Amino acid sequence: MLRGKTIIVTGSNSGIGKATAAELLRRQGRVIMACRDRERAEKAAQEIQQEAGPDKGELVIKLLDLASLKSVRIFCEEIIKEESKIDILINNAGIYQCPYTKSEDGFEMQFAVNHLGHFLLTNLLLDLLKRSAPSRIIVVSSKLYKYGEINFDDLNSEQSYDKAFAYARSKLANLLFTLELSHRLEDTGVTVNALTPGIVRTNLGRHVHIPLLMKPLFNLASQAFFKSPEEGAQTSIYLACSPDVDGVQGKCFANCHEEQMLAKATDEEVAKKLWDISEVMVGITT
């Protein structure tokens, strides 16, 4: 149970984030839904309250647009001012294979939302997380990281853009961020771990074009072979709640078990360089 615990879940108005928020609320946690669209968040909050049942925790909606560094800063200022502690931060929100667009800060959208927005969010909340220790940070990545590469000469995809590659790169960045952050959190009482949820039936794939004639077949296949959002959320919930991961640092999990990573996700030198460049991109110094 999570009575007395305060948890932030980004992107909790749909999919895995919504299922995660519902279960943590059911376990009597104080869940802060960090969402971009208030109307959609309020609709989701009503459904989450119903799913969580009568003896539940507290649900709070906060606006957070990870494509806007200004929005991230405003969100963090409000959290630091209003919350005495943050026990668990779940960096769940993501955008998948969108057409080439830039965030308001001029960054390629998938890299901006999936990596840079969460990078800034986590850094701005670190002092509060440290004061709340023992506390946990959970980063939702993807097995598709395997197809990504960190090209420091074109992080913004201005020389070329492949939407699938850009997504894979942002998910690899999540893992490298987790790796470097784990070193920086040693002896603080704050842990950070990542997870890959598998293939889940969510609206994450809304930018993927499926021919009209194939849609019925695809829908049948997804029902048969894809995880439900509730199944996809299990590893996020495990990392948030389980005593088995007390003190575990810098690992990646799948299906509630530690996952072996490819060398590209455990490259200390690339992780450190990506961290340093990300600091410059989001405008922070440490």
Side-chain angles (χ1 to χ4, degrees):
M1 300 302 284
L2 294 168
R3 190 183 291 110
K5 302 282 189 186
T6 298
I7 308 117
I8 295 174
V9 186
T10 68
S12 45
N13 61 285
S14 66
I16 294 172
K18 183 182 174 187
T20 301
E23 177 59 22
L24 300 181
L25 187 69
R26 189 186 70 78
R27 295 183 186 219
Q28 301 184 349
R30 182 167 188 271
V31 179
I32 298 172
M33 296 176 65
C35 302
R36 182 169 54 93
D37 185 299
R38 181 173 290 281
E39 190 176 326
R40 288 175 60 201
E42 287 174 350
K43 183 176 182 293
Q46 290 179 340
E47 295 167 357
I48 288 169
Q49 299 266 21
Q50 290 172 346
E51 288 171 38
D55 190 18
K56 56 182 177 289
E58 181 187 358
L59 200 60
V60 178
I61 295 172
K62 282 280 186 189
L63 290 183
L64 171 66
D65 182 357
L66 288 156
S68 163
L69 297 179
K70 180 182 177 183
S71 173
V72 175
R73 290 181 182 279
I74 290 170
F75 173 86
C76 291
E77 285 169 8
E78 289 180 359
I79 291 293
I80 291 164
K81 188 169 134 186
E82 296 168 10
E83 302 295 332
S84 59
K85 66 190 182 79
I86 295 295
D87 298 283
I88 304 162
L89 170 62
I90 304 180
N91 290 339
N92 165 83
I95 188 168
Y96 177 72
Q97 293 198 17
C98 61
Y100 187 75
T101 46
K102 286 186 176 180
S103 70
E104 69 176 38
D105 305 287
F107 303 122
E108 186 275 311
M109 190 61 77
Q110 294 189 81
F111 195 71
V113 172
N114 299 350
H115 171 61
L116 291 175
H118 281 122
F119 178 87
L120 179 61
L121 175 77
T122 305
N123 272 282
L124 293 179
L125 293 178
L126 266 188
D127 284 344
L128 182 55
L129 283 156
K130 288 175 183 176
R131 290 199 298 274
S132 310
S135 53
R136 299 179 180 188
I137 301 167
I138 297 156
V139 179
V140 180
S141 182
S142 165
K143 289 187 190 299
L144 294 175
Y145 85 88
K146 296 172 182 179
Y147 304 103
E149 300 292 341
I150 304 296
N151 178 3
F152 288 110
D153 294 325
D154 193 26
L155 280 179
N156 219 27
S157 299
E158 288 172 332
Q159 295 171 24
S160 66
Y161 181 69
D162 178 289
K163 61 184 182 180
F165 170 81
Y167 178 76
R169 179 179 56 193
S170 73
K171 295 288 102 180
L172 175 57
N174 290 158
L175 296 173
L176 292 166
F177 164 65
T178 300
L179 176 65
E180 177 62 21
L181 181 57
S182 70
H183 298 322
R184 293 168 181 255
L185 291 175
E186 284 177 10
D187 303 319
T188 63
V190 185
T191 60
V192 60
N193 291 288
L195 68 109
T196 59
I199 304 175
V200 183
R201 292 191 303 274
T202 71
N203 66 354
L204 192 66
R206 61 190 177 275
H207 295 294
V208 178
H209 175 68
I210 298 165
L212 193 61
L213 291 173
M214 293 295 293
K215 280 193 175 177
L217 187 61
F218 176 81
N219 290 336
L220 273 175
S222 69
Q223 290 293 328
F225 300 111
F226 292 7
K227 291 180 180 179
S228 68
E230 290 71 26
E231 290 167 333
Q234 289 308 304
T235 307
S236 295
I237 294 161
Y238 171 77
L239 290 175
C241 304
S242 176
D244 295 348
V245 289
D246 281 345
V248 176
Q249 188 74 279
K251 305 297 183 184
C252 186
F253 288 76
N255 298 317
C256 302
H257 291 91
E258 188 180 333
E259 186 177 16
Q260 290 303 308
M261 309 306 295
L262 296 181
K264 66 170 73 178
T266 58
D267 189 318
E268 308 268 358
E269 188 176 328
V270 173
K272 173 71 169 64
K273 185 174 180 181
L274 178 63
W275 183 286
D276 291 343
I277 289 173
S278 299
E279 282 189 336
V280 173
M281 293 173 87
V282 303
I284 60 173
T285 53
T286 57

